[in-house]
Amino acid sequence: MTGSSYPNRISLRGFDAHNVFDAESRIPEGYTLEEIQSGVKILDAETKLEQWEPVNPRSVALRFWLSIGWDDDLRGEDFCVYVITNDLRDRLSLFSSGKTKVLFCHEFYWPKVLQSIHNILDKCERPTMDESWRELRKRFYWEYEGIAGV
């Protein structure tokens, strides 16, 4: 982590991605029963995104669920963020609840999106877990956001 006096204590433990609204480029979601029975290799989200070539990289809208962990704790906290290309900004009226956190990109290129997520984690690094989570909640929607007492 460049320019920080904190150790690298926050890590991305896993994630899942799903299409939102009708963008021109859509990642494949799920498998048919025939595919499963034929023994098709079921890909995890990262492999799927590494192999995916969007039809139009400027028309992508995905919701990511991120599992983010602290130190060596096996547990992770779940956060949500939308990755939307600039060409689809006009669709944001669908997200009027205020619960939406969005990363915009000119074109969807998975290595750059993943690097952006890691950069945000680095920027949210603080001396304690609670301070780090507070920073993460400014950029990602936390699964327990708005629950009384949290």
Side-chain angles (χ1 to χ4, degrees):
M1 189 164 73
T2 309
S4 174
S5 59
Y6 308 118
N8 210 3
R9 300 181 76 180
I10 296 176
S11 64
L12 182 62
R13 303 282 172 83
F15 60 87
D16 201 3
H18 298 279
N19 298 302
V20 291
F21 50 81
D22 290 325
E24 188 176 346
S25 297
R26 299 177 63 77
I27 59 170
E29 291 192 34
Y31 294 89
T32 65
L33 182 57
E34 292 80 21
E35 288 174 321
I36 293 169
Q37 289 174 339
S38 72
V40 68
K41 182 178 181 189
I42 297 177
L43 303 176
D44 62 32
E46 186 164 12
T47 304
K48 191 184 305 183
L49 285 164
E50 286 172 352
Q51 295 178 2
W52 181 52
E53 294 181 25
V55 173
N56 180 354
R58 292 182 174 206
S59 180
V60 174
L62 300 173
R63 179 185 65 230
F64 281 82
W65 281 103
L66 310 172
S67 177
I68 299 172
W70 178 260
D71 272 349
D72 294 330
D73 189 346
L74 296 177
R75 296 171 292 153
E77 296 289 334
D78 289 336
F79 293 85
C80 179
V81 67
Y82 290 81
V83 175
I84 298 175
T85 54
N86 290 330
D87 287 3
L88 299 177
R89 277 183 184 253
D90 62 331
R91 303 268 183 100
L92 288 182
S93 62
L94 297 172
F95 303 117
S96 60
S97 69
K99 296 179 178 180
T100 305
K101 305 291 184 170
V102 182
L103 293 177
F104 292 104
C105 55
H106 181 63
E107 291 185 341
F108 185 88
Y109 178 62
W110 173 238
K112 285 186 178 182
V113 170
L114 182 60
Q115 185 59 53
S116 293
I117 292 169
H118 282 288
N119 289 343
I120 291 169
L121 296 181
D122 288 347
K123 289 176 184 175
C124 291
E125 189 82 37
R126 296 295 183 270
T128 69
M129 182 176 70
D130 287 341
E131 290 174 286
S132 297
W133 270 199
R134 205 170 6 264
E135 289 301 311
L136 284 168
R137 290 168 63 184
K138 293 176 184 177
R139 292 163 176 88
F140 303 135
Y141 183 77
W142 184 42
E143 67 176 322
Y144 297 114
E145 203 71 47
I147 294 177
V150 179

